[in-house]
Amino acid sequence: MNSLPQLDLFNENVLSKYQIYNSIFSTLPFDTIDDTGVLLPLLHKVCEKGFDLEKNPTEIVDHFFKKYQENPTEKEKTDLLFRFIQFIERQVVLFDAVEDAAYPVVNNMDGIGTLRNSKEVAYLNNKKKELKAHLEDFKVRIVLTAHPTQFYPGSVLGIITDLDKAIQNDDLLLIRKLLAQLGKTPFYKKEKPSPFDEAVSLIWYLEHVFYHSVPKIYNYVQHHIYDGKPIDNEIIDLGFWPGGDRDGNPFVTTKITLDVAERLRQTILRSYYRDIRRLKRRFTFDGVQEIFARVEKRLYKHVVRSYTNVNFSQKILLDELYAARDLIVENHQSLFVEELNDVINKVRIFGFHFATLDIRQDSRVHHHAFTQIVEDLLKNGDTTFPKNYNSLSEEEQVAILSLVKGEIDPSILTDEVSVKTIESIYALKEIQQRNGERGANRYIISNNQSVLHVMQTFAMLNLCGFENELTVDVVPLFETVDDLINAEEVMRTLYSNQVYRHHLSKRKNKQTIMLGFSDGTKDGGYLMANWGIFKAKEALTKISREFDIEVIFFDGRGGPPARGGGKTHQFYASLGPTIEDKEIQLTIQGQTISSNFGTLNSSQYNLEQLISSGIKNDVFTKDQLNDKHRVLIEDMATTSYQTYVDFKKHDKFLPYLEKMSTLKYYAKTNIGSRPSKRGGSDKLDFSALRAIPFVGSWSQLKQNVPGFFGVGTAMKKYEDAGRFDEIIEFYNASDFFRTLLENSMMSLTKSFFGLTAYMADDEEFGDFWKLIFAEYETTKRLLLKLTGHSELMENFPVGKASIEMREQIVLPLLTIQQYALKKIQELNKSGGNPEDIEVYEKMVMRSLFGNINASRNSA
């Protein structure tokens, strides 16, 4: 079967099975499904034909009711539309489950980009020694974040998991029952989840997926590359943001941070407890049995009775397991030792923390908090800071911040933000005592603009009793175009600071720097954000090497190309020698968690792809931009940036998002704990608007502006000058440039301007819509010209087929959403009944879910 082309495998194992199971689902006898399953295909045909005839969503929906319903009342119409929404949501779940079940069949688990393939290529090229040397200190860190783009409640995730298994086993009876369960299970959350709720949802993936897939990869490397010898490198680290990410989320409290850390500890110890009980059945030998009984008893106390005393640690547990292994090897012919080694490796990888909880806060909040802390300390007669501190120059303040030490009592602070900030640092210390240093050892400063922002955080940490050795990494996050440009000078000044440099020497001479793709794209457009980050990485690599510091880049990525997503492993494989690449660190969020890492197979495959991208970039040929290519992309990025900035400055830009998109409905979906914008103002402020609802709103419109706007104009400049062949040569020669444009093609593929074509005739926004559509047309035409293809994503047929099927499923949903938006606009203009407006607003909000999940990387 696997000898078939990948697209044939997809058609046979995904499309065909989906159609079979969907037909079963459509005929299930429920009051919410019964006639809905019969009528929905009719609506789908009406939508397809209507858009072909350039009808608008209102005309399409009205035509459907006229043709297939006999004089329905308005309530009957809206009731049926809501039932369609519910049905389509579940169709998306079904397609997810079918695609997940077919993952190992459609994707070659031993093919290009897997560890087996990388090992074989290395051995064939006599690079075994280089491969082993690379893996001695190379790491991939996956950081799970709870950004609000994944709405499935736990009950639905459980159904997806069970459906996946049932579909793999072709168990039609169970599939039918699970589809029936799906039809009766509510999707919509009546209340917003707390950050702790979000943490619990993501810990499910840690416990049921990563706990198994990560050691499997590690064991493969140990046995097949290191010949069974121990590796002093975990290779894969896990990070965690829910409960620690305070940036713009007032609901993250110190208690929640501590509760999440404890939940992580309890979950990993519970996983060890299950494994130890299983091993006890194998190791029934004298001397060994006693060790496992002792370990089981200690784990039981910590898991069942929630002991938090510090006389049990990763080291103590490992020492016990090592002692058991020695006895098994020496006295019992190594019987079942492989099973014990697997558990030992898990304890080495996951410790007592499972995933490292990062603390994050905005620099502006820090600045406010720190200024108030200084004032409160001075009022209390504290001499840590001079009385004129707040009037000193930035350079003078940095000199003082380098040296301060102490232990602030939060009770003397008068400002709530200051108290919360200091308490979060004390919480970090407490987590280290309970879970080990890896439990929480990074403090990330978002919107970092200066040396002062880093040093204020450094000083606050030192004022919380860390004494002689600060066991925390201070991580600046550079996001905007200007911040990326200034990053090199900020880090040069930091590296030149003797005290900070001494701190780095205690942290193995490593400095982690985070770069934000999401806000970078929102600020500067697609090409400039990606090129700006590339240049910033080069500059930061150069300055770090100059100071003999190993810089580690942590990429803040979202799901879609507009937020740094797309085919990320190809991006990392294309970076070249001018960018430090000892570690790959990136955020994984929203639907990307469930789509790329939601099952054992997909998790293993995508983790191996990331590891192999590092191998390709380091062990094999490095892709490097030449001077000619640098001039080209610099000019294209500049042109694109100016085009995007002019677009943002358009007087209809914000009103269009506010009135014609789903932007304001994101906050009502209850899919995330965090507000959709920073600050409490009701007025729409672009700088306060979060990247997720910004990108997501364009995705709901099927316009995907942040993923392409300006790219077409930049290419057209070269076409007009008769120099387009230079762009073609660049595309064919550079993996980096090719990956960049292929990801943009994904944004275009997920666009459908026929949905909103009616806006071209809108009195207020017609010209603005035409401006967007013209850039889309230009970008699409020139990308096809560049690649020589007749259609977008022609060289990724399976990805294209998956997108097309998902877009087909949600076509009626998108149509209903636009129908409801138009109704709201009409009712607002005519002073319509507020209750009617409320119904259609609920319809818009409810239609967000299916669209979000169908896209799998829409925000």
Side-chain angles (χ1 to χ4, degrees):
M1 178 187 267
N2 284 333
S3 62
L4 288 171
Q6 195 180 20
L7 183 59
D8 289 346
L9 290 171
F10 180 84
N11 289 335
E12 183 178 314
N13 291 278
V14 179
L15 293 187
S16 296
K17 285 191 176 182
Y18 169 74
Q19 287 160 359
I20 292 167
Y21 299 140
N22 186 50
S23 65
I24 295 172
F25 185 47
S26 300
T27 56
L28 290 174
F30 296 136
D31 49 11
T32 54
I33 292 178
D34 203 5
D35 59 336
T36 312
V38 175
L39 291 170
L40 183 56
L42 301 175
L43 175 60
H44 194 283
K45 286 182 181 178
V46 170
C47 289
E48 283 187 325
K49 190 172 181 180
F51 286 121
D52 285 344
L53 296 172
E54 299 184 355
K55 302 289 186 183
N56 67 47
T58 302
E59 292 170 327
I60 290 169
V61 174
D62 286 346
H63 176 68
F64 167 78
F65 281 118
K66 185 177 180 180
K67 187 171 182 179
Y68 295 108
Q69 298 282 284
E70 191 173 340
N71 299 319
T73 64
E74 283 303 310
K75 187 177 186 309
E76 287 172 335
K77 286 182 182 179
T78 55
D79 284 349
L80 181 57
L81 293 176
F82 274 114
R83 296 210 315 265
F84 283 148
I85 291 170
Q86 292 172 326
F87 193 92
I88 295 167
E89 285 173 344
R90 286 152 178 80
Q91 285 183 312
V92 172
V93 171
L94 176 59
F95 190 81
D96 283 349
V98 172
E99 200 164 39
D100 286 344
Y103 199 94
V105 178
V106 175
N107 297 279
N108 187 347
M109 300 297 285
D110 295 322
I112 294 172
T114 64
L115 276 175
R116 183 184 294 274
N117 175 260
S118 294
K119 177 204 147 199
E120 289 173 354
V121 172
Y123 283 25
L124 283 171
N125 288 277
N126 295 316
K127 288 183 178 286
K128 181 177 180 179
K129 187 185 293 184
E130 289 87 344
L131 176 63
K132 290 176 74 173
H134 171 77
L135 290 172
E136 281 172 8
D137 57 4
F138 175 78
K139 275 190 173 73
V140 166
R141 179 181 291 222
I142 299 294
V143 181
L144 304 185
T145 76
H147 291 340
T149 55
Q150 168 63 281
F151 86 98
Y152 289 145
S155 54
V156 175
L157 286 173
I159 295 171
I160 293 174
T161 302
D162 293 341
L163 263 176
D164 177 347
K165 292 176 183 174
I167 291 167
Q168 287 187 58
N169 296 326
D170 287 323
D171 188 340
L172 283 173
L173 181 61
L174 180 56
I175 290 168
R176 183 180 174 85
K177 287 181 177 179
L178 290 168
L179 290 175
Q181 181 188 1
L182 186 66
K184 288 179 171 290
T185 302
F187 277 39
Y188 177 55
K189 296 177 181 177
K190 294 179 180 178
E191 296 179 359
K192 286 179 78 71
S194 71
F196 184 78
D197 295 331
E198 291 174 327
V200 170
S201 295
L202 290 191
I203 288 172
W204 185 93
Y205 290 101
L206 294 179
E207 184 176 12
H208 294 94
V209 180
F210 289 101
Y211 183 71
H212 304 283
S213 62
V214 171
K216 188 174 182 181
I217 292 169
Y218 182 91
N219 293 342
Y220 178 87
V221 172
Q222 185 179 53
H223 290 298
H224 296 280
I225 297 176
Y226 285 87
D227 304 317
K229 296 174 184 174
I231 319 167
D232 191 24
N233 176 27
E234 296 82 17
I235 300 176
I236 300 170
D237 279 337
L238 299 177
F240 206 74
W241 273 17
D245 182 9
R246 285 167 161 69
D247 180 13
N249 193 340
F251 307 112
V252 177
T253 64
T254 302
K255 183 180 184 305
I256 280 179
T257 300
L258 291 169
D259 286 348
V260 169
E262 181 59 19
R263 183 63 172 249
L264 286 164
R265 191 181 79 95
Q266 291 288 322
T267 304
I268 191 60
L269 294 184
R270 184 169 64 243
S271 299
Y272 295 156
Y273 177 71
R274 285 195 293 259
D275 277 345
I276 292 299
R277 285 181 61 83
R278 176 177 53 81
L279 289 180
K280 271 185 69 182
R281 299 179 63 182
R282 294 281 182 263
F283 299 112
T284 52
F285 326 134
D286 283 344
V288 180
Q289 190 176 31
E290 289 78 3
I291 293 175
F292 279 98
R294 189 163 61 242
V295 169
E296 181 191 15
K297 187 175 180 180
R298 297 193 79 169
L299 285 169
Y300 179 84
K301 286 181 179 180
H302 282 258
V303 173
V304 178
R305 298 183 183 176
S306 299
Y307 277 29
T308 57
N309 53 329
V310 293
N311 64 343
F312 191 37
S313 64
Q314 178 189 22
K315 183 181 183 305
I316 293 171
L317 178 55
L318 281 173
D319 285 345
E320 293 274 41
L321 297 178
Y322 289 147
R325 185 171 65 182
D326 289 344
L327 285 173
I328 294 163
V329 171
E330 292 169 12
N331 301 334
H332 304 288
Q333 296 77 48
S334 299
L335 194 60
F336 296 122
V337 75
E338 297 85 2
E339 294 184 38
L340 175 57
N341 281 333
D342 177 63
V343 176
I344 287 172
N345 287 341
K346 286 175 178 175
V347 178
R348 291 187 70 247
I349 293 166
F350 301 122
F352 274 33
H353 66 289
F354 213 159
T356 301
L357 186 63
D358 287 340
I359 308 298
R360 184 172 78 130
Q361 185 55 282
D362 189 283
S363 64
R364 291 163 290 195
V365 176
H366 269 177
H367 183 74
H368 167 84
F370 192 78
T371 302
Q372 195 61 46
I373 287 169
V374 172
E375 290 182 8
D376 287 340
L377 288 174
L378 289 172
K379 284 177 186 175
N380 278 272
D382 190 286
T383 58
T384 303
F385 295 92
K387 291 181 179 179
N388 65 337
Y389 172 82
N390 285 327
S391 62
L392 296 175
S393 67
E394 182 173 316
E395 188 177 342
E396 290 170 323
Q397 288 184 347
V398 167
I400 293 169
L401 294 173
S402 304
L403 301 173
V404 295
K405 297 271 185 184
E407 193 157 356
I408 294 175
D409 179 0
S411 67
I412 70 166
L413 302 177
T414 59
D415 177 65
E416 184 183 4
V417 175
S418 302
V419 172
K420 288 180 177 179
T421 302
I422 294 301
E423 283 182 344
S424 72
I425 297 173
Y426 281 118
L428 188 153
K429 284 185 69 181
E430 186 175 337
I431 292 166
Q432 289 194 353
Q433 290 166 359
R434 286 189 191 180
N435 298 14
E437 185 187 314
R438 288 169 67 199
N441 59 13
R442 309 203 303 183
Y443 204 118
I444 299 164
I445 317 142
S446 54
N447 191 45
N448 195 96
Q449 298 174 337
S450 68
V451 176
L452 188 63
H453 287 154
V454 177
M455 293 308 294
Q456 284 174 337
T457 306
F458 183 68
M460 280 193 283
L461 287 162
N462 280 315
L463 285 168
C464 289
F466 277 97
E467 297 177 357
N468 295 325
E469 190 164 340
L470 178 58
T471 54
V472 181
D473 295 321
V474 184
V475 182
L477 165 53
F478 301 103
E479 299 177 84
T480 67
V481 173
D482 288 341
D483 291 347
L484 290 169
I485 293 169
N486 295 333
E488 178 187 5
E489 191 55 38
V490 169
M491 297 314 299
R492 178 183 291 278
T493 306
L494 279 174
Y495 292 157
S496 300
N497 183 297
Q498 289 186 349
V499 176
Y500 190 79
R501 183 68 183 79
H502 177 71
H503 162 67
L504 289 181
S505 71
K506 298 285 188 178
R507 305 297 293 167
K508 299 181 180 179
N509 284 314
K510 293 183 178 182
Q511 171 68 55
T512 303
I513 299 173
M514 190 172 179
L515 302 163
F517 283 79
S518 299
D519 283 290
T521 305
K522 173 176 162 270
D523 179 57
Y526 181 71
L527 272 186
M528 178 57 85
N530 281 274
W531 177 234
I533 287 173
F534 187 96
K535 287 193 299 178
K537 284 186 175 182
E538 285 193 318
L540 291 166
T541 297
K542 185 178 179 182
I543 189 66
S544 298
R545 289 172 178 172
E546 183 183 320
F547 281 86
D548 202 23
I549 300 293
E550 181 185 315
V551 66
I552 297 165
F553 294 115
F554 176 22
D555 292 334
R557 295 178 175 275
R563 297 186 56 232
K567 297 184 179 299
T568 50
H569 57 276
Q570 291 182 355
F571 173 87
Y572 288 114
S574 71
L575 291 179
T578 56
I579 292 176
E580 197 68 74
D581 63 348
K582 287 286 180 67
E583 293 193 27
I584 291 174
Q585 297 192 7
L586 68 160
T587 54
I588 306 292
Q589 56 192 250
Q591 316 100 304
T592 314
I593 296 172
S594 56
S595 61
N596 289 358
F597 301 94
T599 67
L600 294 175
N601 287 316
S602 63
S603 172
Q604 180 185 338
Y605 183 83
N606 285 296
L607 285 170
E608 287 192 17
Q609 292 287 322
L610 286 170
I611 294 170
S612 296
S613 70
I615 294 171
K616 179 179 183 293
N617 195 34
D618 188 47
V619 178
F620 303 114
T621 305
K622 288 175 179 275
D623 184 51
Q624 189 167 2
L625 296 177
N626 61 37
D627 291 342
K628 180 184 175 184
H629 293 159
R630 286 177 178 276
V631 170
L632 277 173
I633 194 167
E634 179 70 39
D635 184 57
M636 290 180 71
T638 302
T639 302
S640 174
Y641 176 63
Q642 193 55 57
T643 304
Y644 181 75
V645 169
D646 290 344
F647 175 65
K648 281 198 308 180
K649 289 179 179 176
H650 196 290
D651 61 353
K652 296 301 177 187
F653 181 81
L654 285 179
Y656 182 80
L657 278 175
E658 209 165 12
K659 296 179 182 179
M660 306 299 280
S661 83
T662 59
L663 180 64
K664 67 180 181 180
Y665 299 98
Y666 263 81
K668 300 178 181 181
T669 55
N670 292 335
I671 55 177
S673 69
R674 202 167 68 166
S676 60
K677 60 186 178 67
R678 295 177 174 90
S681 173
D682 290 333
K683 185 179 178 183
L684 183 58
D685 176 10
F686 184 76
S687 63
L689 182 60
R690 290 196 173 281
I692 288 170
F694 174 71
V695 173
S697 296
W698 291 112
S699 174
Q700 294 282 327
L701 285 168
K702 306 312 291 180
Q703 293 176 2
N704 289 322
V705 160
F708 71 83
F709 202 91
V711 176
T713 298
M715 290 192 291
K716 190 172 186 300
K717 176 181 175 181
Y718 283 82
E719 182 186 50
D720 292 345
R723 297 173 58 193
F724 198 73
D725 58 322
E726 295 177 37
I727 307 299
I728 294 174
E729 187 276 329
F730 185 16
Y731 175 83
N732 291 326
S734 167
D735 288 344
F736 170 72
F737 188 55
R738 185 163 55 254
T739 300
L740 203 59
L741 294 189
E742 284 175 349
N743 279 337
S744 187
M745 284 185 219
M746 187 187 295
S747 292
L748 294 170
T749 304
K750 292 185 177 184
S751 297
F752 174 47
F753 278 80
L755 180 71
T756 56
Y758 70 90
M759 294 182 186
D761 299 323
D762 188 88
E763 188 177 329
E764 183 178 0
F765 296 108
D767 290 341
F768 188 73
W769 184 91
K770 290 173 186 174
L771 173 69
I772 299 169
F773 183 57
E775 183 66 16
Y776 163 81
E777 290 275 82
T778 300
T779 308
K780 180 180 177 180
R781 177 179 67 81
L782 291 177
L783 282 174
L784 291 175
K785 180 179 179 179
L786 174 68
T787 57
H789 295 160
S790 58
E791 55 184 26
L792 295 169
M793 292 184 69
E794 191 175 295
N795 52 336
F796 297 105
V798 170
K800 180 179 175 62
S802 178
I803 289 171
E804 287 176 346
M805 189 61 205
R806 289 172 176 279
E807 296 299 321
Q808 271 192 44
I809 291 171
V810 296
L811 182 64
L813 191 60
L814 293 163
T815 308
I816 291 168
Q817 185 183 86
Q818 286 297 318
Y819 170 81
L821 282 168
K822 283 199 73 183
K823 282 285 187 182
I824 293 165
Q825 293 161 15
E826 290 167 6
L827 289 166
N828 281 328
K829 282 181 183 177
S830 63
N833 187 336
E835 290 182 1
D836 292 338
I837 295 173
E838 188 178 343
V839 168
Y840 288 111
E841 285 189 330
K842 183 182 178 183
M843 192 177 290
V844 172
M845 183 268 292
R846 290 289 289 112
S847 64
L848 288 171
F849 301 138
N851 292 333
I852 286 171
N853 285 291
S855 295
R856 282 210 151 179
N857 65 355
S858 64

